[in-house]
Amino acid sequence: MEGLSVGSVLLTGCDGGLGLGLLKGLLEQPSPPRHLFAACLDPQGKDARWPGVASHHVLRRLAWDMATSPARPLADVTDPNSIKAAVGKVQEKVGNAGLNLLINNAGTTRRSTLATETVENMTLVYATNTIGPLQTSQAFLPLLKEAAEAEGQRGMSCSRAAIVNVSSILGSIEVAEAWEERQDVCYRCSKAALNMLTKCLALEYGGSGILCVSVDPGCVSPPLGRGTVIWQGPVTVEESVQGVLRLLARLSATSNGTFWDWRGQSLPW
């Protein structure tokens, strides 16, 4: 099967885990993106909250050894000023071709139960997991539209213009999976809200040719979050990445506003 072929990609949450795995997987595609932008808070092992951009040649190093990479972090997704600066940096590189694929991967969680959940936890997790993707999608909409309108682009696909929100089966209201293993109310609610955001984006942006989907990467080990404890599962980063990239390569107009897992199976909201 051919890999995912896309001209430009912006991937948030590249500090480690799934984000870094996706970064590596994109670079190893038969036709890697011409422009690949990594959004991370901490490319050098420190919490450096200022905007910048890491272009393709730097990402080859970043994918293997973030601690020694000279890459600059792009976009704290909870900071509108950081996102705005990131848009400018990306536009400098892609020009009138626009941005083909935005992957909203940045996320966080806090372990909790219904008895111990707090306003502080809910606020923090929603800011990153739900409001962050909203702000990022809004800010990059003009570049996504440019890509969708580019000459020769027809039909919805991740190669043309797309927003992929990295969600979780824990956000599925119908399934409500693994309640006994991890309640994590703030995380579940934030991902359920992210799924609704995906549907809203699909309804509003679909007319412009922009494909919008939610994807559950599986319960990936190592953990997705930094400094947090996340329920472990059998999916390795490599398995998840390979599955997600295979899925993205085959999404089309009929997939707009839908929810998928890393195996390519449709999930209930």
Side-chain angles (χ1 to χ4, degrees), residues 199-215:
K199 180 64 77 170
C200 293
L201 292 172
L203 291 170
E204 184 67 15
Y205 296 173
S208 298
I210 301 170
L211 174 68
C212 302
V213 298
S214 283
V215 175

Side-chain angles (χ1 to χ4, degrees), residues 22 24 31 55 63 76 102 106 114-115 158 160 172 177-178 188-189 195-196 232 237 243 245 247 253 255:
L22 283 169
K24 181 174 178 287
S31 298
S55 58
D76 175 354
L102 168 62
L114 268 176
C158 289
R160 180 185 179 189
S172 170
E177 184 174 280
R188 289 177 182 271
C189 291
N195 286 344
M196 175 53 81
Q232 298 295 298
V237 171
L245 293 180
L247 169 68
S255 313

Side-chain angles (χ1 to χ4, degrees), residues 17-22 220-222 235-242:
L18 179 67
L20 197 58
L22 283 169
V220 179
S221 178
V235 183
T236 66
V237 171
E238 291 75 16
E239 289 172 331
S240 176
V241 167
Q242 290 174 11

Side-chain angles (χ1 to χ4, degrees), residues 71-86:
R72 293 173 292 162
L74 179 155
D76 175 354
V77 298
T78 66
D79 179 359
N81 290 328
S82 178
I83 297 170
K84 181 179 179 180

Side-chain angles (χ1 to χ4, degrees), residues 12 24 45 55 58 63 68 106 125 145 147 152 173 175 193 202 218 230-231 258:
T12 70
K24 181 174 178 287
S55 58
V58 172
T68 61
V125 174
K145 282 186 173 181
I173 294 174
V175 174
I230 296 183
W231 182 62
T258 56

